[in-house]
Amino acid sequence: MGRAFLDRHRWRREQAQRVTETRRVLYGEYLAALSRARNDFRVLARDLDTAPAERDASARTSFAPCYEIRYQVTITASVKVVAASEKTFRRLRDVRDLAGAGTLAGDERYSGGRREYEDALAELRTAMRQELGSDESD
């Protein structure tokens, strides 16, 4: 009975480690996808020459990879991380819509949308770090 208990305990610990590692990789991929899209929107918001239809198509293409990883997060993460992820996703989608519509970087709507995204992103990173057991002082 002692050996079975120890085996079960070890199995649970290993399962928890696998879940944490899966989340760590997924979160890194998600943050990278969000960052790539955000950088593309930054370029669009500074571009004065791109035609409206091309601008919108470019913004949507840049954002598309975020959807797939977002869905993976919704089935892998804790409720707290999912909520923060959804908020961040929506704020970045708002930035996408602004950049795609031709709103330029100097426009208050764009800079305000960007700030809302950055605030949501900070909350998401904090929730991810807490879930993964990372020390904020690292």
Side-chain angles (χ1 to χ4, degrees):
M1 181 155 166
R3 180 171 165 88
F5 174 78
L6 291 175
D7 287 345
R8 179 75 175 157
H9 181 69
R10 181 176 31 250
W11 179 83
R12 283 185 179 166
R13 185 179 66 244
E14 289 169 355
Q15 280 292 102
Q17 289 170 340
R18 279 192 289 276
V19 167
T20 298
E21 185 55 28
T22 297
R23 286 176 172 170
R24 185 180 320 279
V25 170
L26 177 61
Y27 296 170
E29 291 173 358
Y30 188 50
L31 292 173
L34 294 172
S35 178
R36 283 189 296 273
R38 170 63 185 97
N39 287 334
D40 288 349
F41 304 153
R42 178 181 295 126
V43 170
L44 278 176
R46 294 178 180 181
D47 181 353
L48 302 174
D49 300 323
T50 302
E54 184 182 336
R55 178 182 298 276
D56 185 58
S58 177
R60 291 182 182 285
T61 298
S62 294
F63 193 60
C66 298
Y67 281 95
E68 179 181 325
I69 300 174
R70 170 191 177 213
Y71 294 132
Q72 292 177 33
V73 169
T74 63
I75 64 170
T76 305
S78 67
V79 171
K80 184 176 181 179
V81 170
V82 170
S85 170
E86 287 297 304
K87 181 178 180 181
T88 304
F89 180 88
R90 289 186 179 111
R91 295 299 72 80
L92 186 57
R93 187 178 58 198
D94 294 342
V95 173
R96 176 205 66 191
D97 292 346
L98 290 165
T103 308
L104 297 177
D107 188 304
E108 177 54 39
R109 291 174 300 156
Y110 184 82
S111 57
R114 190 190 69 234
R115 271 192 307 278
E116 288 179 14
Y117 163 71
E118 290 169 357
D119 291 346
L121 181 62
E123 291 174 23
L124 174 60
R125 285 192 306 251
T126 297
M128 288 174 167
R129 288 181 61 80
Q130 288 173 349
E131 182 173 280
L132 295 173
S134 299
D135 183 359
E136 287 293 326
S137 64
D138 284 351

